[in-house]
Structure formats: structure tokens, C-alpha cells
Amino acid sequence: MATISSAGIGSGLDVESLVAKLVAVERTPITQIAKRTDGLKTELSTYGKVQSALSSLRDAAAKLTRPDTWGGTQATSSDSSAVTATVGAGAAVGNVSVQVNQLATAQTLASTTYASSTSTLTAGTLTIQLGTHSTDVDGNPTFTAKAGSTAVNIDVADGDTLNTLRDRINAASAGVTASIVNDSTGARLVLRSTDTGESNGFVASGSGGVSNLSYDPVNGVAAMVQTLPAANARAILNGIDISSESNTLKSAIDGLNITLLKTTTFPPVISIGQDKDAIKKAIAEFTAAYNAVNALLRDQTKYDAGSKTAGALQGDSTAIGLQASLRSIAGGTTSLGGSINRLTQIGIEPGSDGNLTTSDTKLNTAMGDLDSLKKLFMGLDSGGNSSNDGFAQRIRSYVDGALSSNGRVAARQAGIQKQISSNDKRTASLEDHVAQTEARIRAQYNALDVQMSKLNGLSNYVTTQLAQLNKSG
């Protein structure tokens, strides 16, 4: 039969409590190492944030070293209600005069009035053909089918309504859009070319119950009324006549998309110049990224005497070195910007907390000399003196080095991880030692328990015998 035992029964001692206290003392080094490891993990996590912030700073600085940032253009119109424009690749700096004589329109036809949109029709077929309306030398109407297009037939069944016909036309992909206009007189079917331009005009031939939806000037049929003809936009760009099937001129001038909104009596002027707004935005993104790094390093390396708490990187030489190096670059000089050699001259100044603040007044003044401003940020010293490079170049180069595989940040992260691994190994070794110690202590107390049990049994026997002798005496 199995033996049931419990430490301390034989001796009467609280063995479990004694063992627990002795083991707790043995675990003290493990607790201390765990606390140090938690601190190291916090440091490693913080360096991950530093790495991310530095990457953003590098990207923002790199943007200010790219020619396209400084070479971008933008277009402004002297009358944006009549003409607007956007720039693309290849747009040349300068002015474009745009006289709008005619807007592109889509041919539009309206039917006679029906009682309502649910009025029923009788069977028939409506045929639609895209093409160009014109006149011959005698002034007679002509129609030339659009190249690549074919006539489209829309069948109408008895009992179909005006609504049904509208939906069938729109589903037929005939190059024509149908709608219904309702007013106090009833409902009318309106057909409109899907696209503007002369070649997107159309004729409609109706038979049977839809013969009243025909429009064919060549054959003298005008059951539907034309409310708008198909027409091209006509404009004069810098004195050159332009015709376009749409009101957007995408290829008239390289890199410039012009949108015509209304006819003009006096030509608006589109001015294409350098995109200063994009440059200011890139500079603002650079200072914001710098401030994010500075604030993170400042908060994580400081000691708060009031709360007696330290940042995760307080006293960390690598973090302090990063902060000092970046501040040194931002406060430095370069001779490449001509009369502009410091960031403070363009309104970017460090505050008491190390963050950069920007004066719009000074920056706007500096924008008047974009060539010098460009060199201040992206210039490269011809003699190879990197400490004289533009500020964006120096920041980008420094951060690239710090984040490289053997850079300061990576080296510090590797060092912290090595300490964590060493602590883990030491902890595992100590856990084994504690387990062995606990087993030894238990064995000792178990042996004591057995001996005490035997002595207690002997004591009880002697006491019993003495009691018996006293009775017999």
C-alpha cells in the first residue's frame, strides 16, 4: 500500500514555510536580474522608436536633396472661372495666353411631350449611329459615320414605357445617354452624346411605335428637336488656333493640362512658375521630423527630479551623442548658399528645448532666392569637405551612418540584446541552482522529520512504561 506523508507531521515543524523562505532567499539574484532585464528591454524598445524617428528624418532630409523637389512647377490662372491648368512632367516656366472662343458640347435631342414617363409605347426599333454633321458646298446637310463605330439597334416591345426605353438606350453602349425631363407639360425623352466633340454627333432613326424619336437632317427628318449641336472647343493659345473635342486640352502644350470653363472676351493668362508651396512643405516636413527626433531623445535621456524618474535612455552615451551631433549640424554653417549660410537666416531657429521653430516671414523672404536656398539644403562641397555640404545632405548622411548595419544605433541595439541574452542564460543557471537547493533542503528536513518522529515514538514509549511502573509500585 502506498505511504501518505507530509513534511512536518513527524516533527511538528512548519517545514513548507521554512523551505519557502529559504528558497525565496536563493531566488533574490534571479529577481534582481529580471528587474535589470526589464530595464534593458525598455531600452531596446525605446531604441526601436529612435530608429523609426531617425528613418523619418532621413527621408525628409533626402527629399530636400532631390532636384525634383526644387524643380517642381505650378500653374495659376488670372481668371480661374474661365480657364484652369495643372502641370505635369516637362512643363516649362512661362506664361500662356488662352482665348476661349467656343466650348466643346455634346449633341442633345429632345422628343415631343409624353403624358408621363410611364406612358406605354408600341413595338418598334430605334437605331442610333455616331458621326459628324456637316454641310456640303451648296449648304446641304451631310453626315459622316464615325470611324470604327457601327449603328446600334434598340428594340421596343408593346407595352414598354418611356422609362424602359431610357434604360435600354443607356445599356446599349451606343455612345448616347438617355434621360427623362419632366415639367408641367409632361415628360420628354432627351438623348445626349456621351462625349463632346464634332465626331460624336449622331442620327436617330425610329420605326413603328418610336418613329417620332427620329432625327436625320440629311433625309429631312426632325421628329426630335436638336437643342445643342455637337461642337469642338475652339481656343487661341499664344496666338495659335486650337480645336479640341473636349474642354480639356491635354497635349496642346507639353506638360500642361488646360481646362476650358467658359468663353472669354479677354484672354486669361496661365502662369507656370516654380512650385514654392511644395518647397515650403518639404522644409516644414524636414523641421517636423527633426523635432520629433529631438523631442524623443530629450525625453528619454532626461531625469525628472520632481518625480525622481529617469528616461529609459538616461545616461546612455549613444543617445546623448546622437542628440548632440544633430544639434551641432543644425546649428552649423555652410558657404554654399552664398549670402545665406545658416538655418537661422531663413527663419529656422533652435528653441531652448532644442526644437526648431520657423519664421514664415524670414522663410518667405528666402524663397525669393530659390537658388541660394536650394544650395543651403542640397549643395555638395566641390572639394569633398562634407562638413560644408548643405544641411539636408549632412543630416541625411549622418543618419544613414547611424542607421547602417554597423552604425551607432545598430551597435547599441546589439549590445543591449547581448546583455539580455546573457541575463537569460544566467537566470536559467540560477533557476537550476535554486531547484537543486530546494531539493536538498527538503531532503534534509524530511530526514529530520523521520528522526524526530522516531524520538517522539521512543519518548512516548518511555513515558508509558514509567506510568505503568508507578501504578504497580
Side-chain angles (χ1 to χ4, degrees):
M1 180 178 293
T3 302
I4 300 176
S5 65
S6 177
I9 289 179
S11 62
L13 297 174
D14 186 359
V15 173
E16 288 300 328
S17 177
L18 291 171
V19 170
K21 291 178 180 178
L22 291 171
V23 169
V25 173
E26 293 291 327
R27 293 191 63 84
T28 299
I30 295 176
T31 303
Q32 293 171 340
I33 292 175
K35 186 176 180 180
R36 290 196 296 271
T37 299
D38 287 342
L40 290 170
K41 288 180 178 179
T42 299
E43 285 184 51
L44 192 60
S45 175
T46 303
Y47 261 107
K49 297 176 182 178
V50 171
Q51 185 178 32
S52 178
L54 285 173
S55 294
S56 296
L57 175 59
R58 176 191 57 200
D59 293 343
K63 187 174 183 179
L64 286 171
T65 67
R66 295 200 301 265
D68 62 301
T69 299
W70 300 91
T73 54
Q74 63 179 351
T76 56
S77 172
S78 62
D79 185 358
S80 58
S81 68
V83 178
T84 60
T86 58
V87 295
V93 173
N95 296 324
V96 179
S97 170
V98 184
Q99 173 67 39
V100 185
N101 293 327
Q102 177 177 291
L103 292 178
T105 56
Q107 180 182 338
T108 305
L109 304 178
S111 72
T112 55
T113 304
Y114 289 79
S116 72
S117 61
T118 58
S119 296
T120 57
L121 308 172
T122 56
T125 300
L126 181 63
T127 303
I128 297 174
Q129 171 67 62
L130 294 181
T132 304
H133 292 282
S134 185
T135 56
D136 61 19
V137 293
D138 297 322
N140 298 314
T142 64
F143 181 79
T144 305
K146 185 175 183 178
S149 71
T150 57
V152 176
N153 296 322
I154 296 100
D155 293 325
V156 180
D158 287 333
D160 282 349
T161 65
L162 207 58
N163 285 333
T164 305
L165 178 56
R166 174 201 60 198
D167 296 341
R168 288 185 180 175
I169 293 172
N170 289 334
S173 300
V176 171
T177 301
S179 60
I180 295 175
V181 175
N182 296 283
D183 61 17
S184 60
T185 64
R188 282 172 290 175
L189 181 70
V190 176
L191 302 181
R192 184 175 185 272
S193 299
T194 303
D195 298 316
T196 58
E198 293 174 356
S199 69
N200 292 306
F202 63 95
V203 292
S205 301
S207 64
V210 289
S211 59
N212 62 330
L213 299 179
S214 298
Y215 179 82
D216 186 356
V218 173
N219 294 308
V221 178
M224 296 189 81
V225 177
Q226 177 173 270
T227 57
L228 279 177
N232 284 358
R234 301 194 183 280
I236 301 175
L237 304 186
N238 286 345
I240 301 173
D241 289 330
I242 298 294
S243 176
S244 169
E245 290 208 325
S246 77
N247 290 312
T248 300
L249 312 180
K250 294 184 178 180
S251 57
I253 296 178
D254 287 341
L256 192 64
N257 294 331
I258 302 173
T259 301
L260 310 179
L261 301 174
K262 69 179 183 180
T263 57
T264 59
T265 55
F266 185 82
V269 174
I270 296 173
S271 300
I272 301 97
Q274 286 185 291
D275 192 350
K276 293 184 178 182
D277 289 341
I279 294 172
K280 288 184 67 175
K281 181 181 178 183
I283 293 174
E285 290 171 348
F286 168 74
T287 56
Y290 177 94
N291 289 343
V293 173
N294 178 71
L296 178 61
L297 291 174
R298 183 188 66 237
D299 292 343
Q300 295 302 323
T301 56
K302 73 178 181 181
Y303 178 78
D304 189 335
S307 61
K308 296 182 179 181
T309 57
L313 304 181
Q314 201 270 330
D316 187 288
S317 61
T318 298
I320 294 171
L322 287 169
Q323 185 181 50
S325 295
L326 289 173
R327 290 184 177 183
S328 176
I329 294 173
T333 62
T334 176
S335 64
L336 302 181
S339 60
I340 306 175
N341 52 48
R342 285 181 175 274
L343 289 178
T344 55
Q345 289 178 267
I346 65 170
I348 299 177
E349 302 185 22
S352 58
D353 59 358
N355 277 4
L356 300 177
T357 60
T358 303
S359 166
D360 283 338
T361 301
K362 287 186 177 181
L363 183 56
N364 288 334
T365 300
M367 294 293 289
D369 185 2
L370 281 180
D371 186 58
S372 296
L373 188 63
K374 172 182 175 181
K375 292 175 181 176
L376 182 75
F377 281 101
M378 70 171 291
L380 289 170
D381 187 89
S382 59
N385 179 12
S386 59
S387 63
N388 191 43
D389 289 342
F391 288 99
Q393 295 282 12
R394 288 156 65 186
I395 290 287
R396 180 193 57 75
S397 179
Y398 175 76
V399 175
D400 276 342
L403 295 180
S404 65
S405 58
N406 58 350
R408 301 179 72 174
V409 173
R412 183 64 184 124
Q413 288 174 313
I416 295 172
Q417 187 59 62
K418 185 177 180 181
Q419 287 179 277
I420 292 173
S421 298
S422 177
N423 284 353
D424 289 343
K425 291 179 181 179
R426 178 60 179 158
T427 298
S429 176
L430 289 174
E431 288 286 3
D432 290 342
H433 173 73
V434 168
Q436 293 170 4
T437 300
E438 181 178 2
R440 185 179 70 254
I441 293 173
R442 284 188 179 280
Q444 291 173 343
Y445 272 103
N446 284 336
L448 174 62
D449 205 32
V450 170
Q451 292 301 320
M452 290 294 291
S453 178
K454 290 179 179 180
L455 290 174
N456 286 336
L458 179 59
S459 175
N460 291 335
Y461 174 77
V462 171
T463 300
T464 301
Q465 293 300 315
L466 289 174
Q468 289 296 331
L469 288 174
N470 290 332
K471 286 181 181 180
S472 61

